[in-house]
Amino acid sequence: MHISSIAGAIANNPSPEWRACDKHPTALGGRNMSGLLLRELSIAGFRCPVITANHQDYNRYRKVWNGVADRRPVAIVRPVNMEDVRKAVAAAATSRSLLAVRGGGHSLPGLSTCDDGLVLDLSQLNTVSLDKDAQTVEVGGGALLGDLDRATVPQGHVVPAGVISHTGVGGLTLGGGMGWASRKYGLTIDSLLGAEIVTAGGDVVWASATSDPELFWGIRGGGGNFGVVTRFKFKLHPLGSLTAGKWNYPMANAGQALRALRDLAHGQPRDLTVSFTASASGLSVAAAWLGDEGLARLMLSPFGELAGSGSGDIGGMSYLQLQSRNDEYFAWSRRYYAKGGFWRDLSDEAIGKIIRAVAEAPTPESEIYALQLGGAISDISDEATAYTGRSAGYYWLSEPVWDNAGDDDRCIAWGRTVANWLSDLSIEGNYVNEQGDAGADVARDAYGSAKYRRLAGLKSRLDPHNLFRLNQNITPLT
Ligand code: FAD
C-alpha cells in the first residue's frame, strides 16, 4: 500500500476516537467511521495503492459511468490480486463501513460508488486467458466486455454478453447478461462454468455446478450480493460469420414499422436478433445475423423495408465493430436513468405508448430501446438460475439521457412515467441490471417472492450482516 496517500487523511481523523470506537463501531457517526476505515486500510498491507481525497488521482478514480452518481468515498482501493481484495473486504467489514464493489462502473443507479465508504475498484483485475483446447476462457472480475471480446473474437470464439464494449463483465454477468449472441447461445450466465468469490467472511470459494451449487445458482442473476468475484470461467462458443444491418425510419412511420418488425421477427431462427431504438431522431432498427453468410441478405433485408425503405444498409462488419459501434453514444459522465421490463411480444398498445413517449421526450437523445430475446435464453427453465424472465420475447428500456444537473428531475420523471406505461404491458420478472432505481422492492419485484426467499437464504449464509448491500439488495433472513 502507498501509505503516503492516506497519511494526510489519517492525520485529519484523530486516533483516540478510533480507539474509543473500536468496541461499538455501529454507534459512530460518519467521521468516526471514516477514521476506523482509514486505520484498517493503513494496517492492511496492500500491494496496491489506496486512494483518498488528498490523492492527485482521487477525482479520476471516484468517477463512475453515470454522471448523476457523483459521490465521494473515503477511499478507493484498486487491488492487483485476490489478497488485496480480501484485505479490502476485511477492512470494510471490521470498520463496518459502506463497501461499493466496482467492475466496469456502469451501474445505472451508481451502486459501485458511495459517499463516506470504501470503493473496491476491480479494474486492474482485467486479465483474460483463453484455453482453446478446453474451449474455456478465464476473466478477471474487473475486465470490460471489450477486454473479453478482444481476447476471444480474433480466435473465432465468443461469450455472449452485452452490446457496449465499455460495460463491465462483472456486473453484467452477475445480473444475467444479454446481447447480440444471446438468442443463439444464451445469456452470459448460461456460459458461466464457475467463479472465484471472496465472501464477506474473507473466505475464497469456487462456485460451480459441483462446488457450492446453491451459490452458483445465486450468482447467475443474483447480482453482487454474495461476495466479490475475482475470476469468472466461461465456456466459449464458435463465432462464425456475422452480418449486420441498420436502418432509420422517421417517427411518423414508426407505428407501421414496429408492427411490421414484430411480425417479421416472430419465429425467426435464433441466428437472427433485432433491436430498435425510438427517439426524437427517428426509429432506428438494427439486426444481426450470426449464421450462414449465404442467407444473410435474405434474412436481413426485409428489416430495411418495414415502412417504405428505411435509410441504411446491410454490411459486413466484425463482431468487435458491432460491439463497440454505440460506445460513444453511451459515453462516460453524461447523465442517465433507465428502467426496463420484459414483454412477451411487442403489442399494438406498447407501440402506441412508445410513439407518445418520444413525442414527450425531454431531450433528443432520450429513447425507448428494445432487444429481442427468446431462442437459447428460453431453452433453460426459469428455476435453473436466479435470473428471472426467460419466457420474454423482448427486453425494453426507457432511457433518458441528458447533460445538465438542473434537468435531473424532469428527465428522470419522464423515464419513470414511460416505464410505468410500459410496465403495465409487461410480464412478471425483471432484469436487475437495467434498473435506475435501487430499493428494497426492486429485487423482490424482479425475482418474485419464492426466488427472493431462496436468495435471502443464501444471503443469510454468505453475508448475514449485509456487507454487500450496494446492489439490488437481497436482505438476509432475520
Ligand atoms: P459496476 O457499476 O461496476 O457494478 C455494478 C454492480 O455489480 C456493483 O454494484 C456490484 O454489486 C456488482 N459487481 C460488479 N463487478 C463485480 C464483481 N467482480 N464481483 C462482485 N460484484 C460485482 N446489460 C446487458 O445485459 N446487456 C447490455 O447490452 C447492456 N448494455 C449496457 C450498456 C450501458 C451503457 C450500461 C450503462 C449498462 C448496460 N447493461 C447491459 C447493464 C449492465 O449489465 C449493468 O449496468 C451492470 O451492472 C454493469 O456492470 P459493471 O461491472 O460495469 O458495473
Side-chain angles (χ1 to χ4, degrees):
M1 172 180 139
H2 298 183
I3 298 286
S4 62
S5 68
I6 68 166
I10 287 178
N12 292 328
N13 291 272
S15 59
E17 281 182 343
W18 311 336
R19 237 167 265 131
C21 299
D22 265 348
K23 288 182 193 136
H24 304 291
T26 48
L28 299 176
R31 183 162 168 264
N32 294 327
M33 196 75 89
S34 306
L36 272 178
L37 173 61
L38 289 166
R39 188 186 63 177
E40 290 302 325
L41 294 172
S42 74
I43 59 176
F46 288 106
R47 277 198 51 211
C48 63
V50 174
I51 294 160
T52 55
N54 59 344
H55 190 285
Q56 58 178 6
D57 290 326
Y58 177 75
N59 280 325
R60 176 174 154 213
Y61 289 127
R62 77 182 177 84
K63 272 197 183 142
V64 288
W65 170 80
N66 190 347
V68 174
D70 182 18
R71 314 233 163 97
R72 304 188 68 84
V74 170
I76 302 158
V77 171
R78 307 185 67 237
V80 292
N81 58 25
M82 200 249 295
E83 265 314 299
D84 280 348
V85 174
R86 290 184 71 193
K87 287 170 183 169
V89 168
T94 307
S95 62
R96 305 205 186 172
S97 299
L98 260 187
L99 173 62
V101 179
R102 182 185 308 166
H106 280 51
S107 160
L108 281 148
L111 293 169
S112 51
T113 185
C114 57
D115 284 323
D116 303 328
L118 176 63
V119 168
L120 180 53
D121 170 3
L122 302 172
S123 58
Q124 300 197 97
L125 299 181
N126 63 351
T127 50
V128 179
S129 64
L130 203 78
D131 183 338
K132 279 194 90 164
D133 294 336
Q135 297 284 288
T136 59
V137 61
E138 294 200 353
V139 186
L144 305 183
L145 301 194
D147 298 322
L148 172 60
D149 285 339
R150 280 189 295 275
T152 55
V153 169
Q155 304 294 323
H157 298 289
V158 70
V159 175
V163 301
I164 303 290
S165 79
H166 48 71
T167 314
V169 172
L172 178 129
T173 301
L174 293 168
M178 56 183 75
W180 287 115
S182 295
R183 279 175 48 77
K184 181 155 182 160
Y185 292 128
L187 298 168
T188 311
I189 49 171
D190 301 334
S191 297
L192 187 64
L193 297 172
E196 179 182 74
I197 303 172
V198 175
T199 67
D203 296 326
V204 180
V205 298
W206 180 253
S208 70
T210 52
S211 169
D212 202 336
E214 184 65 5
L215 177 55
F216 188 53
W217 175 84
I219 59 168
R220 287 177 292 161
N225 272 285
F226 307 110
V228 182
V229 177
T230 46
R231 189 162 46 101
F232 294 95
K233 184 174 183 180
F234 295 105
K235 176 168 69 181
L236 290 168
H237 303 274
L239 179 56
S241 95
L242 162 73
T243 314
K246 198 170 182 184
W247 302 269
N248 284 303
Y249 296 88
M251 274 311 290
N253 295 349
Q256 185 189 345
L258 285 174
R259 284 190 294 277
L261 176 145
R262 169 193 61 205
D263 297 345
L264 200 55
H266 196 77
Q268 292 284 2
R270 50 188 64 186
D271 290 354
L272 181 83
T273 303
V274 294
S275 79
F276 66 84
T277 303
S279 70
S281 46
L283 174 72
S284 170
V285 172
W289 173 253
L290 278 167
D292 182 347
E293 219 176 330
L295 290 175
R297 280 207 166 260
L298 182 71
M299 300 307 296
L300 294 178
S301 53
F303 292 95
E305 303 287 338
L306 294 174
S309 292
S311 63
D313 208 356
I314 299 170
M317 88 167 45
S318 73
Y319 192 78
L320 291 178
Q321 285 169 322
L322 178 69
Q323 289 292 87
S324 57
R325 73 175 173 188
N326 290 322
D327 279 7
E328 279 181 32
Y329 190 83
F330 289 103
W332 270 66
S333 301
R334 298 194 73 186
R335 304 179 85 79
Y336 300 92
Y337 173 85
K339 194 166 177 172
F342 292 119
W343 287 319
R344 193 163 315 280
D345 205 348
L346 179 56
S347 63
D348 286 351
E349 209 179 340
I351 293 170
K353 301 281 189 204
I354 291 166
I355 293 167
R356 180 174 165 202
V358 170
E360 296 177 12
T363 62
E365 301 97 323
S366 298
E367 62 180 38
I368 314 297
Y369 164 82
L371 175 72
Q372 188 188 10
L373 301 176
I377 299 169
S378 41
D379 288 347
I380 293 174
S381 84
D382 229 40
E383 284 66 44
T385 59
Y387 174 91
T388 305
R390 289 189 181 266
S391 63
Y394 290 88
Y395 193 71
W396 60 263
L397 276 176
S398 154
E399 289 187 296
V401 184
W402 67 105
D403 292 305
N404 299 317
D407 291 330
D408 284 3
D409 289 349
R410 188 170 67 94
C411 291
I412 292 171
W414 176 85
R416 288 199 179 118
T417 301
V418 172
N420 286 342
W421 296 344
L422 298 178
S423 294
D424 287 346
L425 308 169
S426 297
I427 59 174
E428 288 200 344
N430 212 327
Y431 183 31
V432 286
N433 272 5
E434 303 257 33
Q435 306 302 328
D437 295 318
D441 292 342
V442 176
R444 282 178 197 279
D445 289 350
Y447 300 116
S449 53
K451 248 188 203 179
Y452 185 88
R453 257 197 316 279
R454 184 171 168 187
L455 286 162
L458 185 61
K459 179 80 173 175
S460 306
R461 167 159 73 88
L462 283 143
D463 184 16
H465 303 298
N466 209 0
L467 176 65
F468 300 109
R469 62 185 176 277
L470 286 179
N471 41 46
Q472 296 298 1
N473 196 227
I474 294 154
T475 41
L477 300 170
T478 47

